[in-house]
Amino acid sequence: MSADVLNRPETHKGTGAQKPPQTRGWPLIVVSLVIGLATHGWNMFRYPLYLTDEGIYMEQAWSVLREAKLSPYTYFYDHAPFGWLTIAGWVAILPGGFNAFGNAINTGRVLMLIVHLVSVFLLYEIIRRFTGSKAGAFLAAFVFNVSPLGVYYQRQVLLDNLMMLWILLGLYLLARKDGRIVTVMGAGLCFGLALVTKENALFILPGCAYLLHRAIKSQPNRRFGVSFWWFAALAPVVGYLLFAQIKNELFPQNFNFNLAAATPGDHVSLLYTVWWQLHRNSNSSNGLSFTTLLQASWLFKDRYLLIAGTAVTVLGLFAGRRNKRLRGPMLACALMGVGYGFYLTRSALLDFYIAPMVPLFALNLGMFFGWLTRRTKPAGAAVLVACLLVPVVVMPGGFMVKYNTKGELEFSDAYRLPLTRLQEQQVAWIKANVPPDAKLIIDDDIWVALHDNDPPYKNAHPHYKATSDPDVRDKVFASSWQNVDYVVMSNKMRDALERGGETWIIEAIDQHGETVWQATRGDVSLQIIKIGGTS
């Protein structure tokens, strides 16, 4: 029997739904999960540095559990809240709460590890069910597991990772093709939850919508399926809009969408924030350009995935046209990659915005490999996978090992550097030497560590809140160095202060500050600066 016959899906009578290949390949799934556990779990509490945005999402989850609020500060609809509601739910079931794994961000990173492992299974199954290729599914899962770009960003507590979990779950449900309306409705709900986790999911919508059309095209209940998919996808979004409307925060005061105004009125507004987000570009003070990040960060971390992923995504737009079974899934996956890639080229970016491209590139890579080897025997496909993977994993400068400055072979930074110990030492010094009633300007990475303390540091606030939030800027610090006791500097926080125009904090540091603690490792530098003349 030929490999083409083995890969040809069967059909459920009367429904038009396709059966997946008869065997899942559980050994390959288990191996994929073990690899994912090792690459993403090994040293994840020590590398990379705790990120500002990780701290933001953990402090918002803290506020949900401790204050029954969506944010400890004014919630201005910068993101929909389902992501940190999920994090809050995770923390709530743990006996140790935020400190279950040492500190709040570590606890969030354990959730990210679970999210990654579930995503590995979903990615494998999506490709296996659509292409029938277990080799292609394993290739995608392996790349997803070991990509340095993925290891770096998917360890971090980011909404992007939660968003992609819901996207992959929705794709998996469509890939089941079981002919049931409830399955299609569940896929729509997953996309809706992705949207209220992070709005960037909107750029993946064209590919998802096309896949929906192709996946249920042959089903007799396809009209109901399409209608219920859209109903379920829009339900969370409508709920979010209703939440804002009930709080009278859907529209800005007097429908004023003037972005030049310092404030849209006497209250925050969801639609004003959306309008502001749409007008952000690479010249914005709080973001970088696609070209800058590509050259300075992303290619350095993983040029192999970016080049190969871009190539197979573009090829996927055309490669499956002559194969009726693969035409729809390949084009849909390519459209998802192109859609999100378009977003990256048009918006003001932070470096972790690339995170969703890792599973999208892996998805397109697996789909393309399945199409390419559709007439190849399984043993031949397995050998081809091995030839593709072994060099980039074990060769120096690849995914796992590198030469250091002495010419010695060592593991890559992700598996050996203990960077977060510096941040833990910084927090320990504060708790040992700074009174809890002191007024501190900090970065978000240590916010929960100070506020969930006994006693809490209630006057420790992020630097951008000290310059932009009236409740903090005017009522706590009055924009004056005389009302600051310490400025706790995270790595590259100085750059953020200068880029954001936070001049009064810079003046407090330069003209009235004295460094009382400092730790440096490589290009990572942390400081604690005591501000003189405090009351």
Side-chain angles (χ1 to χ4, degrees):
M1 186 178 294
S2 68
D4 192 48
V5 174
L6 286 172
N7 286 339
R8 188 180 301 140
E10 299 177 22
T11 302
H12 291 286
K13 293 181 179 180
T15 67
Q18 293 179 345
K19 288 183 180 179
Q22 292 302 306
T23 59
R24 273 201 173 112
W26 280 111
L28 292 177
I29 294 176
V30 171
V31 170
S32 297
L33 294 174
V34 170
I35 293 172
L37 181 64
T39 56
H40 285 249
W42 183 8
N43 203 42
M44 73 175 181
F45 292 155
R46 297 300 180 197
Y47 187 93
L49 276 175
Y50 298 136
L51 185 71
T52 296
D53 288 74
E54 290 186 277
I56 291 174
Y57 305 139
M58 293 310 300
E59 76 186 50
Q60 289 173 318
W62 181 93
S63 184
V64 169
L65 295 176
R66 300 287 191 265
E67 302 175 328
K69 295 165 52 181
L70 291 178
S71 173
Y73 302 101
T74 302
Y75 173 56
F76 64 101
Y77 299 93
D78 51 333
H79 290 302
F82 190 70
W84 62 86
L85 289 174
T86 303
I87 297 171
W90 160 248
V91 173
I93 66 174
L94 297 174
F98 286 96
N99 295 316
F101 295 92
N103 61 52
I105 295 182
N106 281 353
T107 301
R109 287 189 175 185
V110 173
L111 175 62
M112 293 300 105
L113 178 61
I114 296 171
V115 166
H116 175 75
L117 294 177
V118 175
S119 299
V120 168
F121 173 79
L122 295 174
L123 183 68
Y124 180 98
E125 278 293 283
I126 291 166
I127 295 168
R128 183 190 70 84
R129 286 176 176 272
F130 278 130
T131 69
S133 171
K134 292 190 285 290
F138 180 74
L139 172 65
F142 190 91
V143 170
F144 185 44
N145 278 327
V146 304
S147 164
L149 204 62
V151 171
Y152 187 85
Y153 293 115
Q154 286 157 8
R155 285 181 177 181
Q156 297 177 351
V157 187
L158 299 175
L159 302 184
D160 309 71
N161 297 328
L162 292 168
M163 176 192 81
M164 284 308 302
L165 172 68
W166 293 114
I167 293 290
L168 291 173
L169 181 56
L171 298 181
Y172 167 75
L173 292 175
L174 289 179
R176 288 176 60 88
K177 295 186 179 181
D178 60 7
R180 301 170 62 194
I181 291 294
V182 68
T183 302
V184 178
M185 190 173 181
L189 178 61
C190 287
F191 186 80
L193 294 177
L195 279 171
V196 294
T197 297
K198 195 165 186 182
E199 302 79 1
N200 302 355
L202 183 65
F203 292 88
I204 304 176
L205 175 61
C208 290
Y210 179 73
L211 183 62
L212 168 70
H213 165 70
R214 297 292 306 207
I216 67 173
K217 182 178 181 181
S218 60
Q219 296 178 194
N221 56 5
R222 61 187 178 277
R223 292 184 179 178
F224 290 103
V226 170
S227 299
F228 277 106
W229 188 94
W230 283 101
F231 171 80
L234 291 174
V237 179
V238 172
Y240 182 45
L241 295 173
L242 287 175
F243 168 80
Q245 178 60 30
I246 290 171
K247 297 187 66 179
N248 193 33
E249 293 175 348
L250 182 61
F251 297 98
Q253 186 181 24
N254 300 323
F255 293 91
N256 177 20
F257 287 90
N258 180 15
L259 296 175
T263 174
D266 62 359
H267 62 79
V268 296
S269 162
L270 187 157
L271 294 182
Y272 179 88
T273 299
V274 171
W275 184 248
W276 169 73
Q277 295 271 18
L278 290 173
H279 285 79
R280 293 173 65 200
N281 54 51
S282 59
N283 296 319
S284 301
S285 62
N286 57 348
L288 298 172
S289 71
F290 171 81
T291 303
T292 299
L293 286 171
L294 181 66
Q295 295 175 347
S297 177
W298 298 337
L299 282 173
F300 174 77
K301 288 184 174 70
D302 191 355
R303 61 187 181 275
Y304 300 112
L305 178 64
L306 293 178
I307 295 171
T310 301
V312 296
T313 299
V314 173
L315 290 172
L317 294 170
F318 311 100
R321 288 188 302 170
R322 296 184 179 180
N323 188 299
K324 185 177 181 181
R325 180 167 62 88
L326 294 178
R327 183 189 309 154
M330 287 192 69
L331 181 56
C333 293
L335 288 174
M336 293 177 209
V338 170
Y340 197 82
F342 172 79
Y343 162 73
L344 291 179
T345 62
R346 300 296 299 172
S347 176
L349 303 175
L350 299 176
D351 61 345
F352 60 83
Y353 284 13
I354 192 67
M357 288 305 299
V358 178
L360 290 175
F361 277 157
L363 181 63
N364 277 281
L365 187 62
M367 295 294 294
F368 184 79
F369 186 87
W371 170 82
L372 193 66
T373 61
R374 64 194 182 279
R375 294 185 177 89
T376 305
K377 293 183 178 181
V383 171
L384 184 56
V385 167
C387 292
L388 289 172
L389 296 181
V390 171
V392 297
V393 174
V394 301
M395 70 180 184
F399 288 174
M400 300 291 290
V401 294
K402 67 173 186 176
Y403 284 116
N404 61 23
T405 55
K406 298 179 181 179
E408 300 169 339
L409 203 60
E410 65 183 12
F411 281 110
S412 299
D413 293 350
Y415 306 109
R416 62 182 184 83
L417 289 184
L419 295 185
T420 61
R421 285 180 181 169
L422 301 181
Q423 292 162 301
E424 293 173 354
Q425 292 167 8
Q426 188 179 52
V427 171
W429 192 95
I430 294 171
K431 292 181 178 180
N433 297 278
V434 178
D437 61 349
K439 294 181 178 180
L440 288 77
I441 293 177
I442 64 172
D443 208 347
D444 294 271
D445 59 299
I446 63 172
W447 193 97
V448 176
L450 297 180
H451 283 259
D452 207 46
N453 188 57
D454 185 21
Y457 287 79
K458 294 184 178 181
N459 291 318
H461 299 288
H463 60 89
Y464 61 93
K465 294 295 183 183
T467 57
S468 63
D469 189 327
D471 288 337
V472 179
R473 180 191 61 209
D474 302 332
K475 296 178 182 179
V476 178
F477 298 111
S479 297
S480 171
W481 65 268
Q482 293 179 313
N483 296 314
V484 181
D485 294 311
Y486 293 88
V487 177
V488 184
M489 300 288 286
S490 64
N491 190 48
K492 299 184 180 178
M493 180 171 143
R494 178 69 186 229
D495 295 341
L497 294 174
E498 293 175 351
R499 194 166 57 243
E502 300 171 24
T503 54
W504 79 264
I505 299 179
I506 295 174
E507 291 174 0
I509 295 170
D510 292 345
Q511 300 177 18
H512 307 282
E514 176 190 0
T515 300
V516 294
W517 180 91
Q518 184 170 4
T520 301
R521 185 186 179 101
D523 61 350
V524 176
S525 179
L526 309 181
Q527 293 176 299
I528 298 176
I529 301 171
K530 182 177 176 61
I531 306 300
T534 54
S535 56

